[in-house]
Amino acid sequence: MPILDDEQFERYLKEFRPLAPESLQIEKRPGKARRRFVVTMWASACAASLLLAFLLWHRPRPSQPASAPQFAGSQSLTIGRANALLVHAPSLKEAFDDLSFQPQPASQPEGKQSALAALSKENIKL
Amino acid sequence: MQATRTDAAEIELSYRRYGSALLLFAAALTGERSRAQDAVHQVFLKLLQSGSLRDALDTKAYLFTCVRNAILNERKARRRDVALDPECAWFEPPHRDFAAELNLRHALWELPEDQREVTILHIWGELTFAQIAEVLSISLNTAASRYRYALAKLREALCAKEDCRAHS
């Protein structure tokens, strides 16, 4: 090694580069805020489930709703009326029962009769 | 107090920037790379857990002080003298001259600890004498004179080793 002055010797020493350390192992843990959020969400979900179960258990069971629209034979059946009946009827069967048609008297102008009535009066000889 | 994301990024940047010099400094005090690594990691993990570097006026000097304190505390707990681990390299030598690396490591290790500290802080830590004085709690003149003595001893030791290599 040649004789070096201080500056040259420093430069020589700096050619030796210190080795890099291993990478810093940082344990990633969920923060407090996130943990609190998760706990709150779970608690809310549990509370909501319990409330729903309670409401389903104690819901009023309708016997015969007073406001259920009665289908009168004289009224014509429309989609809206059928829908209202289905909504208010306690069960599907009862809704269908209500929807059963009543025979409607055909109203014909005076002096005229329906073809069906005329044919029924005829004595057809075969 | 957990370091915020900005603080953590700043700490990680400091680790990348000064990690090598800090590790060398720690190895020069402990003699073992694994203990040096532990000390450096301990400092940075504490920083990440408990706060930030914002309070430090001089980040680099502060980090060297922290590493030194960590080693002194650990040494106090162990209560035993340290020895140089010959197996672990401290430097990446120029031109893959591993014999020169070993010589330098031995020469550094043979220096008195106070001179070794100053030498490493000044040459590889790139700290000014004022910063070194702050890290080691000594006067600026003491830091400078320790460095001069250390440099002279190092040169002597390395030249003697080189002569031996040349003549062998």
Side-chain angles (χ1 to χ4, degrees):
Chain A
M1 185 181 182
I3 295 171
L4 306 168
D5 63 23
D6 278 2
E7 212 170 291
Q8 285 173 322
F9 186 56
E10 277 182 10
R11 230 176 292 137
Y12 167 73
L13 290 177
K14 279 183 181 175
E15 285 178 15
F16 291 83
R17 291 210 313 273
L19 294 173
E22 287 165 22
S23 62
L24 199 58
Q25 299 292 322
I26 304 166
E27 194 184 350
K28 302 228 171 180
R29 278 181 288 183
K32 270 184 189 171
R34 194 178 160 187
R35 273 201 302 272
R36 199 177 305 144
F37 173 76
V38 170
V39 169
T40 311
M41 288 305 289
W42 270 108
S44 307
C46 288
S49 306
L50 286 172
L51 185 66
L52 190 66
F54 178 82
L55 288 175
L56 284 172
W57 187 259
H58 292 282
R59 83 176 163 164
R61 289 163 210 279
S63 48
Q64 273 290 343
S67 60
Q70 296 297 315
F71 182 73
S74 59
Q75 289 175 321
S76 58
L77 178 64
T78 61
I79 298 274
R81 205 174 294 279
N83 195 31
L85 268 169
L86 282 169
V87 167
H88 290 96
S91 69
L92 193 63
K93 184 178 178 303
E94 283 177 51
F96 279 119
D97 289 347
D98 286 343
L99 279 171
S100 59
F101 292 97
Q102 299 291 324
Q104 292 180 34
S107 57
Q108 294 289 338
E110 213 172 303
K112 290 193 174 179
Q113 54 183 347
S114 70
L116 193 65
L119 284 170
S120 65
K121 285 176 188 171
E122 274 187 16
N123 287 326
I124 300 168
K125 290 178 184 174
L126 296 172
Chain B
M1 189 181 81
Q2 188 98 11
T4 63
R5 193 176 290 182
T6 322
D7 294 333
E10 194 193 351
I11 291 165
E12 283 186 39
L13 183 69
S14 299
Y15 184 77
R16 281 201 298 276
R17 192 177 288 169
Y18 308 125
S20 305
L22 288 166
L23 181 67
L24 173 66
F25 180 58
L29 293 178
T30 60
E32 291 173 30
R33 190 179 161 84
S34 60
R35 278 174 66 203
Q37 182 91 57
D38 286 350
V40 174
H41 276 187
Q42 188 191 328
V43 166
F44 277 90
L45 290 175
K46 258 188 195 166
L47 279 172
L48 284 169
Q49 280 165 6
S50 64
S52 69
L53 285 167
R54 248 184 260 160
D55 298 334
L57 294 174
D58 183 339
T59 305
K60 191 158 61 162
Y62 178 73
L63 288 171
F64 276 103
T65 309
C66 290
V67 168
R68 185 170 182 264
N69 289 343
I71 289 164
L72 294 182
N73 288 340
E74 193 253 6
R75 198 186 284 174
K76 229 182 272 177
R78 283 194 173 205
R79 287 183 186 170
R80 69 169 176 84
D81 291 332
V82 292
L84 178 65
D85 178 359
E87 296 301 317
C88 72
W90 291 358
F91 300 99
E92 195 182 307
H95 318 298
R96 301 177 64 80
D97 188 352
F98 296 107
E101 195 274 338
L102 186 65
N103 287 343
L104 175 59
R105 197 159 17 113
H106 276 286
L108 279 168
W109 191 250
E110 279 159 19
L111 289 175
E113 188 173 292
D114 51 1
Q115 292 178 15
R116 200 189 314 145
E117 284 180 319
V118 174
T119 309
I120 286 169
L121 290 174
H122 188 62
I123 294 181
W124 291 283
E126 295 178 339
L127 262 63
T128 62
F129 288 122
Q131 286 174 312
I132 294 170
E134 190 194 319
V135 171
L136 302 178
S137 307
I138 53 175
S139 74
L140 198 146
N141 285 339
T142 309
S145 66
R146 279 182 191 176
Y147 179 71
R148 273 197 306 275
Y149 283 123
L151 211 60
K153 282 181 191 172
L154 266 183
R155 194 194 336 241
E156 199 184 310
L158 289 177
C159 284
K161 292 249 168 73
E162 282 290 320
D163 284 347
C164 287
R165 278 172 69 187
H167 288 109
S168 62

